[in-house]
Amino acid sequence: MAPSSSPLPGRLVILYASQTGNAIDAAERVGREAEHGGCPAVDVLSMDSFNPSCLPDERFMIFIVSTTGQGDPPDSMKNFWKYLLRNHLGARWLKGLHYAMFGLGDSSYREYNVGFPAIKLDQRLFDLGAKRITERGLGDDQHSLGYEGELDPSLLSLWKSLNRTNPSLLPRVSDASHRKLNILGDAKVEVIYYSARQATDISDSKILIEKARSMSPALKCHNSREPQHMLQMVTNQRLTKGDTDRDVRHFELEDRRSAISYQVGDVLEILPSQNPSLVDDFIKRCNLDPDCYITVRTKDGDKVPKDPIKLKTFVALTMDVTSASPRRYFFEVMSYFATDEREKAKLQDYTSPEGRGDLSWYNQNENRTVLEVLVDFPSVQMPFEWLVQLTPPLKKRAFSISSSPLVYPNQIHLTVSVVLPPVLFTLHIRTQHGLCSTWLTGLSPDEDDHLIPCWMRRGSLPRPRPSVPLLLIGPGTGCAPFRAFVEERAAQSAADPTTAPVMFFFGCRNEDIDFLYKDFWLKHAQGQGGVLSHEKCGGFFAAFSRDQPRKVYVQDKIKEQGARVLDMLCSKSSKAAIYVAGSSTGMPADVTVALEEVLCQEGGVPREDASGWLKDLKRAGRFIVETWS
């Protein structure tokens, strides 16, 4: 970790902890506004690039912290947070620091408050003696304007408070709050062009991916190492049946040369390929030469020269021009380069406080891509430097692994819902496709020229020991990691009959349409000695919500099987673990309530004690939840 540079008298440090890039966008906006307000020196840094031992040397800091998983801190915050928990740091350690905190989160994750890591960091800094410049702000993705719905008033309050606290640090509050649209400044990215004879084509796909992504300033918060595996699609099977709008796929990816090192509960990250024709359309729209060679760096960044790569390759591997919607600052910069007065006025209106709602509807609600936005404003010719700086990065997509290495040492299995939601536009209806899921669906098994770049990482569901009884709840594609758990437990049970039992609750809409992996579950539930069988003290219970007049969900099945659930959870011989995976909307909270009712009604436990017992299980790592929007 690099140490902090010696603080300047008028320095404002903005630290961000980002998982997907939203906190970076917010931090860079805060930095721009501070510069416009006359701040003498502004440093916008990732939290993992700042040495926390240097915190007492700083005087003014702003923290922008996102939330990941079930209220977890981003990876870039973990070491910083670990340092702040050291016992020797006293209540006056940060007595000279003034700070502000803004957290980003999603209220659809009901188990935790929006911006949970920011709330914890705010309290810890305060306990260490730091002084708040203004009240903490929390941005919610569910707000009609996204996190900016709260960021706007928070920044207005921050700049006023900062000016009162130290007028020399931010002398021009009005300039910070209201951008002057006739001043742009320079892009922070530099692109250097080379001829073909100055460059060498790279044939190794893994090396090419690493070089392109390590060159991208927009991917500075992402690990840019080369893919750990280039896997081949060997099975592409649709699991849902009938003429339905829901398409769930079972994919099997294979490395035919060597075993893949992974364990159940792990997550596979995939770098998707963008539609080549749309990448060509973007390059043509921007009047770029696809065959020229480039290097890219930030102007204040690494001076070490990098190997040039083709511009088209760089765009395809690093810039999400075909699926991601641009941020508001993209439209603001577009307005500087619009030559048509009507287009310029429209773009300026979109980026004004009064036009935020219109921009949100046009951009996020209708899921317009970077390419589509540029096509809608044909007079705009943005320099490539600005496009590199402002286009959302092409991110890896993460999927829970649904296979066990004990059974498939050379394969990774995935259970993927193909994103095909209809999007209502003002004048017409268009279908927006999920980039990665659609790309995977279009791959034919055993095509040697379509290798899939993959990375492995630990998921939030730890691998259970064979001696631990498991209560698994996974409706819909939430069953994916539990298919791996059951598969592994079956392999372990074949070698050791004393392996602990498994009880699994699955849910879907219709038994005949989306009963995912039906034969797999029934084989392990009905077979002699199957790990889900009653004979092994396990069980498999399916809820089909729309096969009868009254909707039935997994929480209803849990209460229906209350006696068996209680027996597993309260067994004196061993400590069972509860795993929940699936949609974050309401299912995890409903499952928790159902478990409380089981403890109350079947076990005679008072409601307050039942709630406390489940919270103790969570703290002990025996009640684990993995959800997604």
Side-chain angles (χ1 to χ4, degrees):
M1 180 178 294
S4 167
S5 58
S6 298
L8 299 172
R11 177 164 102 144
L12 176 65
V13 177
I14 302 166
L15 289 190
Y16 62 81
S18 183
Q19 195 72 17
T20 64
N22 283 343
I24 293 179
D25 290 336
E28 290 181 344
R29 175 188 165 186
V30 174
R32 288 193 301 272
E33 292 196 8
E35 289 173 348
H36 294 305
C39 186
V42 180
D43 286 334
V44 181
L45 305 168
S46 176
M47 198 171 284
D48 57 4
S49 69
F50 183 91
N51 191 331
S53 68
C54 298
L55 281 172
D57 299 329
E58 300 297 337
R59 293 295 171 260
F60 294 93
M61 299 185 72
I62 299 171
F63 296 85
I64 313 288
V65 179
S66 65
T67 309
T68 184
Q70 287 293 303
D72 299 319
D75 294 338
S76 58
M77 178 180 166
K78 290 179 180 177
N79 288 333
F80 188 92
W81 177 246
K82 185 178 180 180
Y83 185 92
L84 291 187
L85 295 180
R86 293 186 178 187
N87 292 329
H88 73 273
L89 305 180
R92 293 176 56 80
W93 185 60
L94 296 178
K95 63 179 180 179
L97 176 64
H98 295 76
Y99 76 98
M101 181 71 61
F102 188 82
L104 288 76
D106 189 330
S107 60
S108 67
Y109 287 77
R110 298 183 181 182
E111 189 70 15
Y112 292 92
N113 294 322
V114 172
F116 192 61
I119 294 172
K120 293 199 299 182
L121 179 58
D122 179 35
Q123 187 61 50
R124 183 56 178 162
L125 294 173
F126 184 78
D127 291 343
L128 293 172
K131 299 177 180 62
R132 296 185 179 103
I133 302 171
T134 186
E135 289 301 312
R136 176 182 64 230
L138 297 175
D140 184 2
D141 281 349
Q142 298 303 312
H143 190 284
S144 60
L145 300 179
Y147 69 83
E148 288 189 327
E150 178 59 31
L151 182 60
D152 291 343
S154 292
L155 284 182
L156 183 61
S157 174
L158 170 61
W159 300 139
K160 290 179 178 178
S161 299
L162 192 57
N163 176 264
R164 288 193 298 267
T165 303
N166 188 342
S168 64
L169 188 64
L170 194 85
R172 303 191 301 272
V173 174
S174 60
D175 288 351
S177 303
H178 302 93
R179 284 287 312 271
K180 293 181 179 180
L181 292 176
N182 61 340
I183 302 173
L184 176 62
D186 297 326
K188 296 180 179 180
V189 169
E190 182 179 11
V191 178
I192 304 171
Y193 295 85
Y194 301 83
S195 64
R197 66 175 180 272
Q198 293 175 290
T200 303
D201 283 326
I202 301 170
S203 58
D204 189 314
S205 298
K206 293 172 68 174
I207 295 176
L208 185 61
I209 290 170
E210 188 277 331
K211 286 188 176 297
R213 293 177 68 79
S214 65
M215 197 183 292
S216 168
L219 289 165
K220 57 190 174 185
C221 70
H222 299 261
N223 194 328
S224 60
R225 71 183 187 276
E226 70 178 43
Q228 294 169 293
H229 304 278
M230 298 293 290
L231 302 182
Q232 188 165 11
M233 176 83 71
V234 294
T235 298
N236 180 346
Q237 175 190 359
R238 182 172 181 176
L239 298 176
T240 48
K241 298 177 175 62
D243 186 18
T244 174
D245 60 351
R246 302 186 71 240
D247 184 356
V248 178
R249 298 270 169 162
H250 173 74
F251 297 122
E252 296 180 4
L253 314 181
E254 184 174 84
D255 187 333
R256 291 176 175 170
R257 296 177 299 176
S258 61
I260 305 171
S261 177
Y262 73 101
Q263 63 184 36
V264 296
D266 281 357
V267 169
L268 188 72
E269 294 181 325
I270 292 176
L271 181 68
S273 286
Q274 301 187 80
N275 186 319
S277 65
L278 293 180
V279 172
D280 289 338
D281 290 344
F282 170 81
I283 291 172
K284 183 178 180 180
R285 163 63 184 83
C286 298
N287 295 322
L288 300 169
D289 178 2
D291 297 320
C292 74
Y293 288 78
I294 63 170
T295 58
V296 179
R297 68 178 184 89
T298 54
K299 290 180 179 177
D300 58 351
D302 189 3
K303 304 298 182 182
V304 178
K306 298 182 181 294
D307 295 328
I309 61 174
K310 277 189 177 181
L311 182 144
K312 180 178 178 179
T313 301
F314 179 82
V315 171
L317 292 175
T318 70
M319 300 170 63
D320 193 343
V321 299
T322 66
S323 74
S325 297
R327 303 293 181 189
R328 189 184 66 170
Y329 189 49
F330 190 96
F331 291 86
E332 187 173 331
V333 174
M334 282 180 68
S335 71
Y336 288 88
F337 295 103
T339 56
D340 180 272
E341 289 305 317
R342 286 177 298 181
E343 291 182 17
K344 182 183 286 289
K346 188 66 172 177
L347 290 164
Q348 290 177 344
D349 177 65
Y350 276 159
T351 56
S352 68
E354 298 77 18
R356 297 285 177 82
D358 291 339
L359 176 60
S360 179
W361 178 260
Y362 167 81
N363 192 35
Q364 278 83 18
N365 289 22
E366 296 191 347
N367 294 307
R368 293 191 191 271
T369 67
V370 170
L371 174 58
E372 290 169 333
V373 169
L374 291 172
V375 169
D376 281 350
F377 295 90
S379 80
V380 175
Q381 289 298 326
M382 290 174 68
F384 189 51
E385 288 80 3
W386 279 106
L387 290 167
V388 170
Q389 179 177 327
L390 298 179
T391 298
L394 182 64
K395 298 170 186 173
K396 296 177 285 188
R397 272 57 169 181
F399 301 96
S400 295
I401 294 175
S402 53
S403 57
S404 164
L406 296 184
V407 183
Y408 296 99
N410 289 74
Q411 289 188 355
I412 297 284
H413 296 182
L414 303 177
T415 308
V416 178
S417 180
V418 183
V419 182
L420 293 168
V423 179
L424 178 62
F425 275 59
T426 307
L427 298 177
H428 62 282
I429 294 177
R430 184 191 64 187
T431 299
Q432 275 287 84
H433 298 270
L435 174 60
C436 191
S437 60
T438 303
W439 172 62
L440 290 173
T441 300
L443 296 182
S444 297
D446 301 318
E447 286 190 3
D448 293 333
D449 58 340
H450 283 131
L451 295 179
I452 302 169
C454 299
W455 293 258
M456 203 75 61
R457 68 171 171 84
R458 289 284 179 263
S460 57
L461 300 176
R463 180 190 184 193
R465 298 190 306 275
S467 59
V468 175
L470 299 178
L471 177 61
L472 310 176
I473 302 103
T477 54
C479 72
F482 302 143
R483 180 179 183 271
F485 279 33
V486 170
E487 194 171 67
E488 177 146 303
R489 185 59 61 93
Q492 293 167 338
S493 181
D496 182 2
T498 64
T499 299
V502 180
M503 191 178 296
F504 177 45
F505 291 86
F506 172 77
C508 63
R509 294 179 183 178
N510 308 100
E511 182 175 7
D512 295 334
I513 295 176
D514 55 349
F515 191 172
L516 309 181
Y517 299 117
K518 175 181 179 179
D519 294 341
F520 175 86
W521 306 122
L522 295 182
K523 179 186 74 172
H524 290 289
Q526 298 174 353
Q528 185 174 4
V531 293
L532 295 176
S533 67
H534 294 318
E535 178 187 342
K536 289 281 289 185
C537 299
F540 172 71
F541 309 98
F544 308 110
S545 63
R546 301 187 183 182
D547 278 351
Q548 60 284 312
R550 183 183 70 87
K551 292 185 177 179
V552 178
Y553 299 104
V554 287
Q555 58 266 27
D556 300 309
K557 288 293 181 178
I558 290 172
K559 289 183 284 187
E560 185 180 293
Q561 299 295 325
R564 295 175 60 83
V565 170
L566 182 70
D567 185 59
M568 172 171 280
L569 292 181
C570 299
S571 172
K572 294 182 180 180
S573 60
S574 58
K575 296 181 178 180
I578 306 169
Y579 288 77
V580 181
S583 170
S584 65
T585 306
M587 181 272 296
D590 293 338
V591 164
T592 300
V593 170
L595 292 172
E596 289 177 357
E597 291 188 16
V598 167
L599 291 169
C600 295
Q601 296 177 8
E602 300 290 339
V605 178
R607 171 72 67 172
E608 185 175 336
D609 291 347
S611 177
W613 189 73
L614 290 175
K615 289 179 180 178
D616 289 341
L617 282 187
K618 290 181 180 180
R619 283 190 286 268
R622 292 173 51 206
F623 187 169
I624 304 119
V625 179
E626 180 180 77
T627 61
W628 49 84
S629 298

